[in-house]
Amino acid sequence: MPKLKAATLQSICETISSYFPDAKLDLVKKAYSFAEESHRGQLRSSGEPYMIHPIEVAQTLADLRLDIASIATGLLHDTVEDTHATLEQLDKEFGKDVSDLVDGVTKLSQMTFKTSEEKQAENFRKMILAMAKDIRVILVKLADRLNNMRTLEHLAPHKQKIIAQETLDIYAPIANRLGMGSIKAELEDLCLRYLHPDVYYKLAQKVSKTKGDRLKYTDEVCDIIDEKLKEYDIAASVAGRAKHFYSIFNKMERRKVDFDQVYDIIAFRILVDNITECYKSLGVIHATYKPVPGRFKDYIAMPKANGYQSLHTTVIGPHGERVEIQIRTQEMNQTAEGGIAAHWKYKEGRFDSRSRENVEWVNRLLEWHKDLSDPNEFLETVKIDLFAEDVFVFTPRGEVKQLPHGSTPLDFAYSVHTDVGNKCVGAKINGKIVPLKYRLKSGDTIEIVTSPSQSPSKDWLKVVRSSRAKAKIRAFIKTQERERSREFGKSILDKILKTYSVSLSKVEKSNELLKAAQELSVRTPDELFVAVGYGRILPENVLPFLVSKEVLEKHKVAPQEQNKLGKAEDESFLKKVFTNNRRRSESRNAIIVDNLDDVLIRFGRCCNPLPGDSIVGFITRGRGVTVHTTTCTKALDNDQERKIDVQWNATMQANAKSHVKIRVLSSDEPGQLAMMSQAITSCGVNISSAHIRTTKDKKAIALFDMEVSDISQLQKVTSSLEGKKGIISVERVRS
């Protein structure tokens, strides 16, 4: 990373004056003095004065050409959380606009939760709500995270990985979704440096090694393009640069190739004055160099969801090299770099209409916030939207719909209306009937066929791609399952109470059931029925609140007798309700459920949790508790009402071994298998089996089945392999 020039109050003021000459800088100077006084004596992990951090954050916001209130917030953003300053003070000194922004930024990291995953998910939910209230809150937060990532080297390695992963999962995608290309690219490169240091420095070394030849080639191509454009009287600036490390890394991962096989690592950018000249320039480029089929994209006619506009084409340049070229106007370039921040109207104090799409995206998140009560489900749903590439399809009337890459007719149906999605039975694409799992392509015209008797099923979750569709299907299924469990729980209680000559309907009318519900920490009788139906509350725990002690003693029934109550499913379930909670299993020492170790435990085959993985449990009728990793998509598809807290039993982990599979992609060279085996066993890991095959393009795919003690040992193996010559990728096989 290049060394950045240190920011100062003077540099901040000069930057503001360059794009807002009439700005009154008194507020910024006052905020600087207040922050300096508040943070006096505080030091960062690097040993430098803490004040350096807010100054750098404010400079980033000024570079983004934001308003005075945002820049003042950058200077003050840590004062309430880390000093004796209060919001009341800020309100009095700087006004409500600034104090509200500081409050919004502060609240994003103040809450504490049971687990780090829950904290991350809930903080993300709060971030979305803060964004909806004032989009500038997230812009300040992004500038704050950027500076923290730039100085991450001063933290302990394990903290570096946690912060870098969170940045890659949350902040970089948000920067991308808001169109802030420069911040997104730098965040991703910094994340790569700390999450995959071996890959990062290997790339840095290889890019540096080819730098001389690359600069010479770049100058040659720029001169040719510039000369050709001048022949057609097109005034343009042409520049070329190596792609960001993370972009190169992504390309290597996607294509499963080594660095030497990534040919288009140089991107050229042509900036012109207007849209007409964009298309004229494209014609000149295609007349000069042969275009690569399928590599042209028109983001001017069809802008990305974040407002990005440009023409992209890949051509065969001089010496047979593939060259990627982007063509856009100066204004489009400003939007591509600064995103939503590029459209701030300084005097009016608002974002203009060109940023409406980004603001509408934030408002859509509010709708999901209402539908999804579970923080992790909300986080996963929004991440789908953050990472999605787009396809553009048409309604029968010619209206354009923008959907994530890989979307199906069901996604389209839900984008029209929730009821259309829920009742969808089929679709016609360009006049032809297609299955619901058909993957939409840009340009498709779609007609949805509905039926009033249709309703969503869990299988639909495997088909849809868009976050809206997933959220709506999960909400419907949750409602249906809750109703079934309510009826089931009510039936169970009714049958048990009858054995004690107690009428459930009379108990309901007398408010005794409401009191019982509240004593068992649920709000209403209906919620009590649901909890019993799910298995979260045992019927035997309800009885003492509804049946007198004398009657209970008189009619005391052995568990095996209770099993005879009811018929069919009720008999089976009651039997397991009363016995499984006392059943011991081989897994009982590995997992603690609500501080008990005598519950039947099953591990989800979909994700194969390892000790150290973040986990969550779900009550399963008649099968105890099923444990998934918190990131498992099947866990998110489960009814969140069934969720129960589980944790690894740390005292029993020392000698335990778990089987895990990894897939290693490498170059096909002599000695590769021996090298990989040695790298694994050197970490103290036993290899149970190994299978290797080669591919036509001189690659080798190795599948190792290993015994590891926990997730940290697996990470050690992964790092050991990634650092070896010829290794392209290492990934854990979940099932």
Side-chain angles (χ1 to χ4, degrees):
M1 291 290 168
K3 188 73 174 175
L4 298 169
K5 186 179 178 181
T8 62
L9 176 60
Q10 183 181 348
S11 69
I12 294 169
C13 291
E14 287 174 355
T15 304
I16 297 170
S17 298
S18 69
Y19 64 84
F20 192 6
D22 300 331
K24 294 179 181 178
L25 301 173
D26 294 347
L27 190 71
V28 173
K29 293 174 181 176
K30 186 177 180 181
Y32 177 89
S33 299
F34 187 94
E36 188 177 44
E37 178 64 32
S38 299
H39 290 297
R40 184 163 291 156
Q42 292 181 347
L43 299 176
R44 301 202 76 193
S45 300
S46 62
E48 297 174 312
Y50 192 89
M51 188 60 192
I52 290 175
H53 171 63
I55 292 173
E56 294 290 351
V57 171
Q59 181 66 60
T60 297
L61 295 169
D63 291 338
L64 288 170
R65 303 165 69 88
L66 279 181
D67 63 313
I68 298 297
S70 298
I71 295 165
T73 300
L75 289 164
L76 299 166
H77 75 278
D78 277 337
T79 54
V80 173
E81 188 173 2
D82 294 338
T83 76
H84 295 297
T86 64
L87 281 173
E88 290 73 19
Q89 274 182 284
L90 296 185
D91 196 0
K92 183 180 177 182
E93 295 288 335
F94 303 99
K96 186 167 177 56
D97 194 20
V98 171
S99 65
D100 282 352
L101 285 172
V102 173
D103 186 35
V105 177
T106 302
K107 281 181 177 176
L108 296 183
S109 55
Q110 271 191 338
M111 294 187 71
T112 55
F113 298 87
K114 294 176 186 176
T115 66
S116 59
E117 292 74 27
E118 189 176 350
K119 180 176 180 180
Q120 184 198 53
E122 187 61 32
N123 273 349
F124 186 67
R125 184 193 285 271
K126 288 180 68 64
M127 186 186 303
I128 297 304
L129 295 176
M131 284 167 64
K133 185 177 179 182
D134 191 330
I135 197 74
R136 291 175 295 171
V137 170
I138 195 60
L139 302 184
V140 176
K141 191 66 183 175
L142 284 170
D144 172 48
R145 179 51 62 108
L146 179 61
N147 184 250
N148 284 332
M149 286 299 299
R150 285 172 174 171
T151 56
L152 201 60
E153 63 195 72
H154 302 293
L155 296 184
H158 74 281
K159 286 187 177 181
Q160 291 175 350
K161 286 188 178 295
I162 291 170
I163 294 171
Q165 191 63 57
E166 183 184 67
T167 301
L168 192 62
D169 288 345
I170 305 298
Y171 292 98
I174 284 180
N176 180 54
R177 191 58 182 76
L178 296 178
M180 305 170 76
S182 59
I183 287 183
K184 173 238 183 191
E186 187 175 352
L187 286 176
E188 287 179 339
D189 278 2
L190 288 164
C191 290
L192 182 64
R193 175 179 171 184
Y194 293 103
L195 292 174
H196 302 284
D198 295 332
V199 175
Y200 176 86
Y201 289 110
K202 191 189 293 183
L203 278 177
Q205 185 181 25
K206 290 189 174 183
V207 170
S208 176
K209 191 180 292 184
T210 60
K211 187 176 181 181
D213 292 338
R214 190 176 69 249
L215 289 175
K216 184 179 177 182
Y217 184 79
T218 301
D219 290 342
E220 180 185 349
V221 175
C222 284
D223 289 343
I224 294 172
I225 293 175
D226 193 46
E227 189 177 325
K228 289 290 182 182
L229 292 174
K230 282 178 180 175
E231 287 180 20
Y232 291 88
D233 297 322
I234 299 173
S237 65
V238 185
R241 59 165 180 78
K243 291 183 177 178
H244 293 281
F245 289 175
Y246 190 80
S247 174
I248 299 172
F249 169 70
N250 250 353
K251 191 159 289 189
M252 290 165 60
E253 288 286 293
R254 241 184 1 257
R255 298 179 184 173
K256 301 298 182 187
V257 297
D258 205 349
F259 176 83
D260 297 329
Q261 293 170 281
V262 179
Y263 301 111
D264 49 343
I265 67 167
I266 304 174
F268 291 87
R269 187 172 297 162
I270 300 172
L271 301 182
V272 294
D273 293 331
N274 54 59
I275 292 178
T276 301
E277 291 189 339
C278 287
Y279 289 100
K280 283 177 67 178
S281 300
L282 178 69
V284 172
I285 296 300
H286 283 182
T288 306
Y289 299 117
K290 186 177 181 180
V292 177
R295 294 301 303 273
F296 168 65
K297 291 180 181 176
D298 187 344
Y299 293 119
I300 293 179
M302 295 276 200
K304 287 188 177 183
N306 59 16
Y308 176 89
Q309 288 184 287
S310 186
L311 297 176
H312 287 198
T313 187
T314 301
V315 299
I316 305 299
H319 315 299
E321 294 282 349
R322 283 193 174 202
V323 173
E324 183 181 302
I325 299 174
Q326 302 167 355
I327 307 168
R328 60 181 76 142
T329 66
Q330 298 282 355
E331 186 179 11
M332 290 174 191
N333 190 57
Q334 189 177 336
T335 299
E337 296 298 314
I340 193 169
H343 300 313
W344 181 257
K345 294 265 190 174
Y346 307 105
K347 292 182 181 177
E348 291 90 337
R350 61 178 174 79
F351 288 101
D352 70 16
S353 59
R354 286 171 292 181
S355 287
R356 191 177 298 137
E357 281 297 316
N358 282 313
V359 176
E360 283 179 1
W361 170 69
V362 175
N363 290 333
R364 278 207 311 275
L365 299 184
L366 285 179
E367 183 184 339
W368 301 332
H369 162 71
K370 292 172 188 172
D371 290 341
L372 305 172
S373 58
D374 180 69
N376 287 304
E377 188 180 355
F378 178 77
L379 175 63
E380 189 64 26
T381 301
V382 175
K383 279 165 70 174
I384 290 170
D385 195 62
L386 285 173
F387 286 105
E389 291 294 326
D390 300 312
V391 294
F392 298 89
V393 294
F394 298 92
T395 68
R397 294 182 179 180
E399 180 188 349
V400 178
K401 290 281 184 182
Q402 192 170 356
L403 295 168
H405 178 73
S407 289
T408 64
L410 277 173
D411 292 288
F412 176 84
Y414 277 103
S415 76
V416 174
H417 194 277
T418 302
D419 287 341
V420 175
N422 287 344
K423 302 299 178 184
C424 177
V425 292
K428 290 182 180 179
I429 304 292
N430 306 322
K432 295 181 180 178
I433 295 174
V434 297
L436 290 180
K437 63 182 180 181
Y438 170 87
R439 299 294 174 185
L440 301 178
K441 301 179 183 67
S442 287
D444 282 345
T445 298
I446 308 165
E447 182 182 347
I448 297 297
V449 181
T450 61
S451 167
S453 61
Q454 177 68 301
S455 61
S457 72
K458 265 193 175 182
D459 290 338
W460 284 15
L461 290 168
K462 300 173 185 175
V463 174
V464 296
R465 181 70 179 87
S466 65
S467 47
R468 175 183 171 83
K470 282 184 180 288
K472 294 299 181 184
I473 294 167
R474 283 173 178 155
F476 182 89
I477 292 170
K478 179 180 176 181
T479 301
Q480 294 294 98
E481 287 196 351
R482 181 182 175 85
E483 182 57 28
R484 281 198 296 269
S485 291
R486 189 188 73 81
E487 292 296 327
F488 189 42
K490 188 173 184 177
S491 173
I492 291 170
L493 282 178
D494 186 33
K495 287 171 182 173
I496 291 177
L497 287 172
K498 279 180 181 176
T499 65
Y500 297 96
S501 302
V502 175
S503 166
L504 179 61
S505 58
K506 286 184 179 179
V507 169
E508 283 185 277
K509 290 175 184 176
S510 66
N511 282 334
E512 287 181 49
L513 197 63
L514 176 61
K515 292 177 183 176
Q518 292 170 344
E519 287 290 335
L520 291 166
S521 302
V522 291
R523 290 176 296 179
T524 65
D526 271 356
E527 287 190 14
L528 179 61
F529 295 147
V530 170
V532 172
Y534 282 143
R536 284 195 290 114
I537 293 177
L538 297 176
E540 61 185 10
N541 293 336
V542 182
L543 293 180
F545 298 103
L546 305 177
V547 182
S548 67
K549 286 184 180 179
E550 294 78 11
V551 174
L552 280 174
E553 287 297 323
K554 184 180 176 182
H555 293 78
K556 198 166 186 180
V557 184
Q560 60 267 28
E561 290 300 314
Q562 289 174 331
N563 297 339
K564 297 176 183 177
L565 297 169
K567 298 177 182 179
E569 181 187 6
D570 289 355
E571 282 187 355
S572 173
F573 179 53
L574 279 171
K575 180 178 180 182
K576 288 168 181 174
V577 162
F578 281 102
T579 58
N580 274 355
N581 65 304
R582 297 181 179 84
R583 179 177 172 185
R584 293 180 177 270
S585 71
E586 293 179 3
S587 302
R588 67 184 176 85
N589 290 328
I591 298 290
I592 298 173
V593 182
D594 273 350
N595 295 317
L596 299 173
D597 64 352
D598 57 354
V599 179
L600 176 63
I601 297 294
R602 297 169 64 249
F603 290 101
R605 293 181 181 177
C606 44
C607 54
N608 294 322
L610 279 179
D613 271 331
S614 300
I615 53 174
V616 63
F618 288 90
I619 296 168
T620 322
R621 279 189 191 145
R623 292 182 292 171
V625 173
T626 302
V627 178
H628 295 269
T629 62
T630 52
T631 55
C632 176
T633 53
K634 287 208 173 176
L636 292 171
D637 292 344
N638 280 320
D639 190 340
Q640 300 302 305
E641 293 279 354
R642 296 182 184 275
K643 190 164 72 171
I644 188 169
D645 286 337
V646 294
Q647 57 183 302
W648 295 102
N649 188 345
T651 59
M652 303 304 298
Q653 279 179 226
N655 299 316
K657 294 290 182 183
S658 301
H659 279 273
V660 65
K661 289 182 180 180
I662 60 169
R663 183 183 291 111
V664 185
L665 180 65
S666 70
S667 54
D668 182 14
E669 298 172 8
Q672 281 293 91
L673 180 59
M675 178 271 291
M676 289 187 280
S677 300
Q678 196 279 327
I680 295 170
T681 55
S682 67
C683 297
V685 172
N686 180 51
I687 300 173
S688 302
S689 66
H691 300 277
I692 192 164
R693 64 182 177 85
T694 57
T695 62
K696 292 179 181 179
D697 58 345
K698 298 291 184 181
K699 300 287 189 309
I701 300 172
L703 193 65
F704 292 97
D705 192 338
M706 314 177 301
E707 293 179 344
V708 297
S709 56
D710 54 27
I711 190 67
S712 62
Q713 191 172 34
L714 175 60
Q715 289 168 345
K716 188 177 177 183
V717 169
T718 301
S719 296
S720 176
L721 285 167
E722 285 179 339
K724 302 300 180 184
K725 184 181 178 182
I727 300 296
I728 298 169
S729 67
V730 183
E731 59 182 345
R732 178 176 169 185
V733 180
R734 292 288 183 177
S735 58

